[in-house]
Amino acid sequence: MEGQFSQRDLAPVGGLRAARQKPDPIGIEAAALALGRGVKAAAGFGFEVEICAAAMCPRMGAVAFLESRSKWTRGSQDVIAYTLRLRELVGRATSWEVETDNPYCGCDPQFIEWFGDVVVFVYREKHHAYVARVGFDHRPDYRSIADDWILDAREIVYRRAHAPTVERLSIPDLEALPPLSAEEAGERDLLPEQFFWGVRCHDAPVAARDS
């Protein structure tokens, strides 16, 4: 059955692999259409809301989307907030105000997907990257991670700058798993690339060549 599933089909059964990625404009448009609104919309009192990232769950008839809410006054943006919203097209709705140190500095969505009946959301704010879990029947939870990460099936791995080990969290529960050495992570193809000042650092173990 290889090749018959999209990434969105595989996420609920633990077959998804992902790293930092830009929001999917097609997914955003699909979410806006399902919600019966525009990607950008007026929200009253001078506010504008925009869908910044989104993921559909056809099985549940639900959509998850990151929404920004902002207001411009005399040419400057003086109010801004980011909220992750989950909504069944007929039924329940819930939301989580995204953890940020300073929302004026933005929220960079890097991954959003359904895992069963919860959503896993990875993003970066001013100072840190986070992975969050939000569901209709689950209390929102989040963890600080490193900028360089790989989500592989039911775990997310990340490596902090200059760290000798790779840290791991279960997906979607966000429970700590035993860390891996750089060598172990490299053997399992789980060693995130690291960037310092925009330069990729190649420190993964190199396979021995035949002499």
Side-chain angles (χ1 to χ4, degrees):
M1 298 179 69
E2 184 178 355
Q4 296 184 16
F5 296 98
S6 68
Q7 285 191 345
R8 299 192 185 283
D9 293 323
L10 288 170
V13 296
L16 177 64
R17 181 179 172 91
R20 286 186 293 181
Q21 54 191 239
K22 294 185 180 296
D24 176 14
I26 296 177
I28 291 174
E29 291 284 355
L33 181 63
L35 294 167
R37 53 170 280 189
V39 173
K40 293 183 179 181
F45 300 100
F47 283 93
E48 179 183 76
V49 292
E50 179 179 0
I51 299 174
C52 304
M56 303 287 292
C57 181
R59 180 181 62 84
M60 294 179 60
V63 59
F65 58 102
L66 175 67
E67 182 181 74
S68 67
R69 179 181 175 90
S70 60
K71 183 177 182 179
W72 293 79
T73 303
R74 293 186 293 276
S76 63
Q77 198 171 26
D78 61 356
V79 177
I80 189 165
Y82 293 92
T83 305
L84 182 63
R85 301 188 183 278
L86 278 60
R87 187 171 300 170
E88 289 181 334
L89 302 183
V90 179
R92 299 172 295 175
T94 190
S95 63
W96 175 64
E97 185 174 346
V98 174
E99 174 69 20
T100 61
D101 180 68
N102 185 347
Y104 286 90
C105 294
C107 173
D108 175 25
Q110 299 181 349
F111 176 84
I112 181 171
E113 190 55 88
W114 289 88
F115 283 76
D117 60 351
V118 300
V119 169
V120 171
F121 176 51
V122 183
Y123 67 98
R124 196 187 197 288
E125 47 91 73
K126 181 180 180 181
H127 295 298
H128 303 288
Y130 291 94
V131 56
R133 181 201 68 219
V134 181
F136 292 112
D137 301 317
H138 299 265
R139 185 175 181 177
D141 198 6
Y142 65 94
R143 302 283 189 275
S144 172
I145 61 173
D147 288 336
D148 307 300
W149 56 270
I150 295 173
L151 189 149
D152 186 67
R154 291 294 184 174
E155 65 180 324
I156 186 169
V157 301
Y158 54 96
R159 188 181 185 188
R160 303 187 189 278
H162 309 297
T165 59
V166 174
E167 297 177 68
R168 306 159 63 212
L169 295 171
S170 66
I171 294 294
D173 297 328
L174 305 186
E175 295 180 351
L177 300 173
L180 301 174
S181 68
E183 290 74 19
E184 290 173 323
E187 291 171 357
R188 294 177 53 183
D189 195 21
L190 291 176
L191 188 64
E193 290 184 323
Q194 292 191 301
F195 293 81
F196 297 100
W197 299 101
V199 178
R200 180 183 288 109
C201 298
H202 296 283
D203 60 351
V206 178
R209 296 185 177 89
D210 294 333
S211 56

